[in-house]
């Protein structure tokens, strides 16, 4: 998968810009707050996933502008394609001139992997960050998963609302039975997909971490969802298990007015030499774990789709020593890279490609 060009109009601080990409490495450099990350964010939106910065659509529109438009021309293994997104009162998405229902329909059309310093939160922060990483990764590969996840969240919201009122309205118990059945159904689908993905990610990430650490440390992943007692973990077995667990937790859920069982409570356990990376890992080890997870995600996309995802690296090289910089760039050398930094000399010694200077949202120089 290769990006040919990206055009931004009134996107954040960028009034008008077209970047014609190199098929290997594209270094976007400049001082902070000039628009480097905005370019990567625009590229990421074409995956069909939400902003990796957690931004709202309204934030993409430049101040005092009525709308924003981003266009992407790229080539997959079949042919050249053009995608467009327009942000205004109503967001519109187009692929090869055909309007789509939403940007979610871009899922499976364009593949990318994003890595930024904020991804250290995968190791340092709580379970919600790791669940979001897992769900985003699966959504790129399986569009139906996004719908399943959306349905689960709606049911969870409705069930939690019902739990707040049920002690005052006994007739709601029959309604709760229906919600519990749906909760178990979508829980099983989500957990099944997560288990399959973690099994793949564990294998890939272990190998990558071994390379980063020069085989001096052992990396491991485990999905924590409470199914250790199950001999088999197909969808039907998980459904039966979750049905029972939800039933067991009902009394407590009514007391505390919230749902205590389900994939919204799960986590990923990340260990180095059988010790928690979050609790005992050094800064260097935690950074290496995050890199291994993101590079592992990239390898899975390649294996499953046959497409090399575009690598979007947001200001990460400055945080790595020379050995890790070299490993990262060598590991992704077979795919197109967009890399932001303040000082291009840090990475240009390691790679061939193009560099772009950006100032105040404008490309000022191209080398």
């Amino acid at each position: 998968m290769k990006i040919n060009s990206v055009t931004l109009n009134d996107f954040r601080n960028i009034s008008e810009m077209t970047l014609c990409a190199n098929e290997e490495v594209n270094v976007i450099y400049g001082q902070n707050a000039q628009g480097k990350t905005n370019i990567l964010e625009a590229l990421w939106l074409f995956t069909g996933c939400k902003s990796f910065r957690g931004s709202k659509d309204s934030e993409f529109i430049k101040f005092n502008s009525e709308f924003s438009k981003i266009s992407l021309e790229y080539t997959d293994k079949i042919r050249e394609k053009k995608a467009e997104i327009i942000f205004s009162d109503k967001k519109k998405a187009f692929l090869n001139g055909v309007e789509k229902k939403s940007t979610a329909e871009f899922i499976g059309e364009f593949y990318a992997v994003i890595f930024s310093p904020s991804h250290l939160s995968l190791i340092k922060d709580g379970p919600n960050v790791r669940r979001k990483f897992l769900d985003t990764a699966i959504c790129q590969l399986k569009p139906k998963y996004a719908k399943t996840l959306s349905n689960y969240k709606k049911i969870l919201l409705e069930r939690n609302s019902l739990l707040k009122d049920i002690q005052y309205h006994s007739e709601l118990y029959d309604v709760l039975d229906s919600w519990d059945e749906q909760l178990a159904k979508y829980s099983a689908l989500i957990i099944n997909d997560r288990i399959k993905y973690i099994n793949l990610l564990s294998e890939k990430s272990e190998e990558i971490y071994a390379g980063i650490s020069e085989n001096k440390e052992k990396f491991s992943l485990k999905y924590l969802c409470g199914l250790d007692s199950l001999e088999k973990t197909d969808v039907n077995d998980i459904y039966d298990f979750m049905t029972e667990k939800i039933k067991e937790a009902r009394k407590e859920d009514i007391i505390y007015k919230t749902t205590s069982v389900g994939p919204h409570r799960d986590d990923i356990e990340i260990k180095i030499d059988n010790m928690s990376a979050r609790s005992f890992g050094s800064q260097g080890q935690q950074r290496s774990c995050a890199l291994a997870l993101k590079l592992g995600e990239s390898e899975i996309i390649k294996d499953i789709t046959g497409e090399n995802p575009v690598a979007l690296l947001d200001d990460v090289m400055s945080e790595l020593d020379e050995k890790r910089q070299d490993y990262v760039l060598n590991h992704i050398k077979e795919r197109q890279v967009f890399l932001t930094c303040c000082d291009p000399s840090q990475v240009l010694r390691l790679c061939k490609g193009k560099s772009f200077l950006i100032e105040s949202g404008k490309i000022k120089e191209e080398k």
Side-chain angles (χ1 to χ4, degrees), residues 248-260:
E248 291 175 1
R250 174 181 283 196
K251 187 174 182 179
E252 184 176 297
D253 287 354
I254 292 172
I255 293 172
Y256 292 103
K257 300 178 176 61
T258 190
T259 303
S260 61

Side-chain angles (χ1 to χ4, degrees), residues 303-319:
D303 288 350
I304 291 178
T305 69
E307 294 279 8
N308 259 326
V310 176
L312 308 175
L313 306 181
D314 187 26
D315 194 28
V316 296
M317 305 309 282
S318 61
E319 299 194 359

Side-chain angles (χ1 to χ4, degrees), residues 82-327:
K82 183 176 181 178
E84 294 179 313
I85 306 174
I86 299 174
F87 301 96
S88 59
D89 293 338
K90 182 180 179 182
K91 182 167 61 176
K92 295 183 179 181
F94 301 86
L95 182 62
N96 296 328
V98 178
E99 186 170 358
K100 299 295 182 180
K101 292 180 181 178
S102 70
T103 54
E105 292 193 23
F106 286 153
I107 294 175
E109 296 288 347
F110 174 74
Y111 297 102
V113 172
I114 179 74
F115 183 79
S116 70
S118 65
H119 281 106
L120 280 174
S121 62
L122 284 172
I123 315 302
K124 293 183 174 183
D125 291 355
N128 183 57
V129 177
R130 289 180 286 278
R131 288 194 300 267
K132 183 178 179 181
F133 158 71
L134 189 56
D135 291 336
T136 301
I138 299 171
C139 281
Q140 274 212 77
L141 295 168
K142 190 174 182 180
K144 288 184 179 180
Y145 182 83
K147 182 63 175 177
T148 299
L149 198 63
S150 176
N151 288 336
Y152 176 81
K153 289 178 179 178
K154 289 177 182 177
I155 290 165
L156 184 64
L157 188 65
E158 292 287 350
R159 187 178 191 270
N160 284 340
S161 177
L162 187 148
L163 288 172
K164 292 179 174 63
D165 297 328
I166 199 169
Q167 61 179 317
Y168 307 110
H169 303 280
S170 59
E171 69 274 10
L172 292 178
Y173 277 93
D174 291 337
V175 181
L176 185 58
D177 288 338
S178 176
W179 286 125
D180 287 359
E181 182 182 351
Q182 292 296 306
L183 192 73
K185 171 188 171 182
Y186 287 111
S187 292
L189 293 171
I190 291 168
I191 292 171
N192 185 56
D193 283 336
R194 285 180 177 179
I195 289 173
K196 289 179 179 178
Y197 188 84
I198 283 291
N199 288 340
L200 293 173
L201 184 62
S202 178
E203 179 182 348
K204 297 292 184 183
S205 298
E206 283 181 23
E207 181 180 345
I208 291 167
Y209 190 93
I212 295 174
S213 69
E214 298 178 324
N215 291 305
K216 295 177 181 178
E217 297 166 351
K218 174 69 174 177
F219 173 91
S220 64
L221 283 180
K222 184 179 180 181
Y223 179 44
L224 303 178
C225 60
L227 298 181
D228 292 345
S229 60
L230 280 182
E231 294 182 5
K232 297 188 299 180
T233 53
D234 63 26
V235 173
N236 292 331
D237 290 320
I238 298 171
Y239 171 77
D240 292 340
F241 180 87
M242 293 305 299
T243 298
E244 188 62 29
K245 286 296 180 182
I246 292 168
K247 182 179 179 181
E248 291 175 1
R250 174 181 283 196
K251 187 174 182 179
E252 184 176 297
D253 287 354
I254 292 172
I255 293 172
Y256 292 103
K257 300 178 176 61
T258 190
T259 303
S260 61
V261 174
H264 64 290
R265 297 286 184 138
D266 296 345
D267 197 2
I268 304 173
E269 181 182 68
I270 303 169
K271 289 187 175 182
I272 303 171
D273 294 334
N274 291 318
M275 301 284 284
S276 167
R278 182 186 183 192
S279 301
F280 302 104
S282 66
Q283 285 282 346
Q285 287 175 322
Q286 291 179 343
R287 186 170 290 115
S288 296
C289 285
L291 278 170
L293 290 172
K294 297 302 293 184
L295 292 175
E297 177 190 354
S298 178
E299 289 294 321
I300 291 171
I301 291 174
K302 178 184 175 183
D303 288 350
I304 291 178
T305 69
E307 294 279 8
N308 259 326
V310 176
L312 308 175
L313 306 181
D314 187 26
D315 194 28
V316 296
M317 305 309 282
S318 61
E319 299 194 359
L320 304 177
D321 58 35
E322 287 190 11
K323 285 187 177 180
R324 286 189 170 89
Q325 285 184 3
D326 186 59
Y327 181 86

Side-chain angles (χ1 to χ4, degrees), residues 54-71:
S55 305
K56 298 178 181 178
D57 290 348
S58 59
E59 296 176 46
F60 300 139
I61 303 174
K62 193 174 186 294
F63 185 67
N64 283 335
S65 297
E66 294 183 0
F67 69 93
S68 173
K69 180 181 178 181
I70 57 177
S71 303

